Amino acid sequence: MSAAKETKLISTIEPDKLTPEQIEIVLGIHWEEDEEATADCVFVFCNDLQEFLQERVDKAINLYKAGKAPYILFSGGNAWGKHDFIEAVRAKERAMELGVPESAILIETESYHTKENVIASLFVLERKLGLHKLKRILVVSHEGHLRRCLLTLRTYMPNWIEYAISPVKLKMIDRDHWWDNIEVKKLAIKQVKDLVTYIRQGQLVDEQIEI
C-alpha cells in the first residue's frame, strides 16, 4: 500500500529521499493529455537529442492537423554549439515536409535551455501574434520535462495565459522498471534537484504538489 500523500511546496522537497513514485509526481511523468483542449498556439520545447526532437515535432504536427491550434512555435537554438544545425529550423523543415504551411510556423532560434526557450519566445509571440491576444498555449515536451516547462512558462509569460499539456511518451524507457536503470535513475534525480534548486534561487515560481 502506498503511503498517504501530503501537500508540499516543491522548494521544501529533499530529492535524495524521494521514492520512484514521488519522483514521477515531481517531474510530471504520467500526466494525462487533455484531449479536448484547443489553444492559440502549440509551443514545442525543442531538445538537443535528435530522436527526442523528432518525436516532439511529430506530436506538434498531429495537433496542428487535428485543429488544436492555428500555429506551432518551435523554440530551440544550437544546444551550446553541439550541432551544425539549429533545432527550431530543423523542426520547421520537418513540419513543412509533412504538410504544415510555412505561414503556420513560428521559430525561436536563440535559446539553449528551457528558461531561454520561454524568454526568447516572448519576442516571437509578441511580434507574430500579440501577447495580449493569447489566451491558451498547448505545451509539447517529453514527460519528465513538463513540470519544468509549465513552471517556466508561469514564471516568465504573462499571467493571463492558460496552459494545456500534450506529453510525448518516453519510448526508450521501461516505464515499469526505470528505477533499475542506473543512468536513468541518476538523470531523474538530477532533474528533480535542478528543479528544486531553480525554485529556491527564485528562477522559477514555487508550486504545491501532493507527494
Side-chain angles (χ1 to χ4, degrees), residues 106 120-133:
L106 314 179
S121 292
L122 281 165
F123 294 98
V124 176
L125 290 169
E126 168 61 20
R127 290 168 181 169
K128 297 295 185 178
L129 304 180
L131 287 170
H132 62 288
K133 297 179 182 179

Side-chain angles (χ1 to χ4, degrees), residues 12 39 42 52 91 148 195:
T12 67
V42 177
F52 280 11
R148 183 168 168 181
L195 188 63

Side-chain angles (χ1 to χ4, degrees), residues 44-47 51-61 74 140-142 145 168:
V44 185
F45 287 80
C46 295
N47 187 280
E51 64 273 24
F52 280 11
L53 175 59
Q54 181 170 317
E55 290 176 358
R56 296 181 192 193
V57 173
D58 290 352
K59 180 80 171 191
I61 292 169
F74 294 114
V140 172
S141 190
H142 276 81
H145 187 224
V168 179

Side-chain angles (χ1 to χ4, degrees), residues 171-185:
K171 298 176 182 177
M172 62 195 308
I173 295 175
D174 184 337
R175 298 170 66 84
D176 296 321
H177 303 95
W178 67 268
W179 191 252
D180 298 325
N181 185 315
I182 299 300
E183 293 305 314
V184 173
K185 177 180 176 180

